[in-house]
Amino acid sequence: MHELLSSATADHYAATMRETVDRLADRFRETRRPFSGASREELGALVDAVDLDGPGRGTAEALREVDALFVRNAVWFHHPDYAAHLNCPVAVPAVAAEAVVAAVNASLDTYDQSTAGTLMERRLVAWTAERIGFTAGDGIFTSGGTQSNLQALLIARDHALAASGATLDRLVVLATGSSHFSVQKSARLLGLGEDAVLGVATDGHGRMRPEVLAAALDAARTAGRVPMCVVATAGTTDRGCIDPLGPIADACDAAGVWLHVDAAYGCGLLVSPTRRHLLDGIERARSVTVDFHKSFFQPVSSSALVVRHARDLAPVAWYADYLNPEGSGEPNQVDKSLQTTRRFDALKLWVTLRALGADRLGDMFDAVVDLAAATHDLVEQDPDLRLVGRSQLSTVLFRYQPPGVPDARADALVPLVRRALFDSGRTIVAKTVVDGRPCLKLTLLNPDSTVEDVLRVLGAVRDAAAALDAGRDLATGLDRELDAVLDGDLDGALAW
Ligand SMILES: *Cc1c(COP(=O)(O)O)cnc(C)c1O
């Protein structure tokens, strides 16, 4: 019997899934830290030792091996001591839906490979468009915000080329230094000039200044350039701030320029019962990026590009006789996508909405925004820590800098602290650079985390920073101390 999923292997499939899920559930029950702390050398040796050319060892054994190799050393985004990047804990109904996605293996490129799946994705796109405020919108699920932004800039580029008759090298995109790097990367992929992305000045929170935008649009035109698109960010990756969408839309309307809103992070506000107003003006965009795998508690990947006018997706259509002949009258999603074969990633969101309801998802996103606000206060009140600006969403930017510690010293500690904590496997925070200075970053996306959890994370940062500042050998000392505490060996901890 081949190991292919079919009517003949249904029992084997069910047993394999059950065993795999049971083992994973045990991991979730037993996981005490966000990461095992295994070193890159250890993991490299484990991975390299696997013989990929050898005979098959059977499904059960292969999965056991993965548990030891990968799952045991995974980074757990659900753990309250994980507070680094824009990764959310995932909703159980969405994880169950992933099993359906993989087993049925529909491909959403054409209707004849997906049937109801295509119609469900279309419903969800329409639902998202309505939440944005588009009355005749359309869109497509993508692999992530990077791909959504690329497709948005692609259609904006083609629109600008058709409308202006300009050559590629004259096109410019206006964004800010806080925009996601995929804007610059897309500009390069789309063949725009190296100087095509113009930075618009920001306020003290990294938000685009609309009056500067208006002047920049004028100046670009005067210089013979053609503004093809303004990218506003609704939830900047580091600062979690939202560009003033209404005034930016005014400037874009006045200049007749495409407005793209990158709401990869802030899209959770679309379902927020209390903060939807933070996205006011988003309905005036021509295109919007949403990442359900960031603020809708979906497993990677689940993202969409949504456009105000359905016709705007037309430039990506390509017709092939064997797949989607023109005029077939079938709802073929490939006509709107950069991908051909494509996962039914929309199903996860579908099941989550049906299981929890949109309001509850919004409550969950609200909870992390509230937690971040409380954390800003905690950091501000802590004499050893310095808050680096307030976020409108759920990031916390700060530095360890007790009175008397000079800036250069505080800056130098940032990467060391992050690294020492990561290596310990006990606390995972991020680092970035804001206004030219390094700082630590928490991205809070766990609605079950509490202020106590955040205090523990901040405490770990303070302890690690103080130890590093005092020149103690963290790699051995801190780890030993933490392990001793974990094991309940307080005497051992105090001895160190
Ligand atoms: C994360 C992010 C992206 C990129 O999304 P991916 O899903 O990682 O490709 C784009 N824009 C913003 C503002 C983001 O935070």
Side-chain angles (χ1 to χ4, degrees):
M1 189 173 59
H2 296 294
E3 288 276 328
L4 300 177
L5 181 48
S6 70
S7 42
T9 54
D11 289 346
H12 171 55
Y13 158 71
T16 302
M17 292 299 284
R18 240 176 259 126
E19 199 180 314
T20 306
V21 167
D22 283 347
R23 200 182 294 116
L24 274 171
D26 281 343
R27 285 278 174 216
F28 276 88
R29 267 180 218 110
E30 290 159 10
T31 297
R32 296 281 176 268
R33 39 167 92 180
F35 171 49
S36 68
S39 71
R40 215 187 307 167
E41 291 72 27
E42 286 172 75
L43 294 180
L46 286 175
V47 170
D48 289 347
V50 173
D51 176 10
L52 292 176
D53 292 310
R57 313 176 78 186
T59 303
E61 175 56 23
L63 285 163
R64 266 195 296 277
E65 185 179 89
V66 155
D67 182 64
L69 187 63
F70 170 63
V71 184
R72 201 184 107 72
N73 298 301
V75 175
W76 297 108
F77 303 151
H78 71 277
H79 196 285
D81 294 307
Y82 177 87
H85 302 290
L86 270 164
N87 313 109
C88 51
V90 289
V92 172
V95 178
E98 278 279 14
V100 179
V101 171
V104 178
N105 194 32
S107 179
L108 276 270
D109 44 341
T110 55
Y111 180 77
D112 71 355
Q113 301 175 77
S114 57
T115 60
T118 281
L119 305 181
M120 292 161 83
E121 174 172 308
R122 288 180 166 226
R123 273 289 303 277
L124 272 183
V125 165
W127 175 84
T128 311
E130 265 167 47
R131 287 268 169 181
I132 289 169
F134 292 159
T135 47
D138 196 4
I140 189 76
F141 270 69
T142 70
S143 63
T146 301
Q147 192 191 350
S148 298
N149 283 345
L150 172 64
Q151 186 167 353
L153 292 194
L154 172 91
I155 57 181
R157 179 197 68 179
D158 289 359
H159 178 81
L161 288 176
S164 68
T167 47
L168 269 182
D169 58 321
R170 287 178 55 207
L171 300 185
V172 287
V173 175
L174 292 97
T176 70
S178 294
S179 320
H180 193 260
F181 71 84
S182 54
V183 174
Q184 309 253 11
K185 201 166 160 179
S186 298
R188 179 179 297 177
L189 289 170
L190 293 170
L192 308 187
E194 280 301 316
D195 62 347
V197 180
L198 305 180
V200 179
T202 55
D203 68 11
H205 298 282
R207 290 177 298 208
M208 186 182 285
R209 287 172 54 196
E211 76 285 2
V212 178
L213 171 66
L217 287 166
D218 280 347
R221 284 242 163 84
T222 307
R225 309 297 295 262
V226 176
M228 76 171 219
C229 180
V230 170
V231 178
T233 311
T236 48
T237 312
D238 276 344
R239 292 174 179 265
C241 284
I242 300 167
D243 287 335
L245 302 178
I248 290 172
D250 289 341
C252 289
D253 285 351
V257 174
W258 187 291
L259 171 60
H260 174 64
V261 174
D262 178 359
Y265 180 11
C267 61
L269 298 173
L270 290 172
V271 286
S272 162
T274 63
R275 292 184 174 86
R276 172 61 181 80
H277 62 275
L278 292 175
L279 293 179
D280 282 355
I282 194 172
E283 71 286 351
R284 298 176 61 192
R286 230 8 222 274
S287 54
V288 175
T289 287
V290 291
D291 257 7
F292 301 113
H293 61 217
K294 282 186 180 156
S295 46
F296 277 73
F297 309 100
Q298 297 299 296
V300 176
S301 318
S302 188
S303 173
L305 171 68
V306 186
V307 294
R308 176 155 31 122
H309 305 299
R311 64 170 187 275
D312 284 338
L313 289 175
V316 299
W318 195 275
Y319 300 99
D321 290 338
Y322 60 84
L323 192 67
N324 59 332
E326 194 162 11
S328 73
E330 283 183 357
N332 294 324
Q333 295 290 83
V334 68
D335 299 354
K336 309 172 193 173
S337 176
L338 300 185
Q339 296 166 261
T340 306
T341 305
R342 193 163 52 85
R343 284 169 54 85
F344 187 13
D345 283 320
L347 185 68
K348 297 174 281 191
L349 179 61
W350 181 283
V351 176
T352 306
L353 282 174
R354 294 294 291 150
L356 305 183
D359 282 356
R360 189 141 157 232
L361 273 177
D363 283 338
M364 288 157 69
F365 193 57
D366 270 351
V368 297
V369 179
D370 287 338
L371 182 63
T375 306
H376 296 151
D377 295 341
L378 291 174
V379 170
E380 245 173 10
Q381 289 153 16
D382 190 319
D384 293 343
L385 305 178
R386 300 268 181 92
L387 188 67
V388 183
R390 279 176 180 262
S391 141
Q392 291 172 283
L393 296 178
S394 65
T395 59
V396 183
L397 299 169
F398 67 107
R399 235 174 258 119
Y400 171 84
Q401 190 169 9
V405 171
D407 285 359
R409 180 83 188 147
D411 291 358
L413 282 171
V414 166
L416 301 177
V417 168
R418 187 206 71 93
R419 182 65 200 270
L421 292 175
F422 182 83
D423 288 349
S424 80
R426 313 215 12 102
T427 308
I428 305 190
V429 301
K431 67 170 166 47
T432 186
V433 175
V434 170
D435 293 335
R437 284 189 65 191
C439 64
L440 292 162
K441 174 168 94 161
L442 310 182
T443 308
L444 303 174
L445 277 175
N446 188 342
D448 294 326
S449 279
T450 62
V451 167
E452 288 69 40
D453 290 324
V454 177
L455 279 170
R456 188 176 58 253
V457 169
L458 293 176
V461 167
R462 189 189 304 97
D463 291 350
L468 284 161
D469 194 34
R472 267 181 280 158
D473 181 3
L474 268 185
T476 52
L478 183 69
D479 228 19
R480 237 189 301 126
E481 179 191 45
L482 291 167
D483 281 336
V485 173
L486 187 73
D487 298 341
D489 176 10
L490 279 178
D491 288 344
L494 293 173
W496 183 75

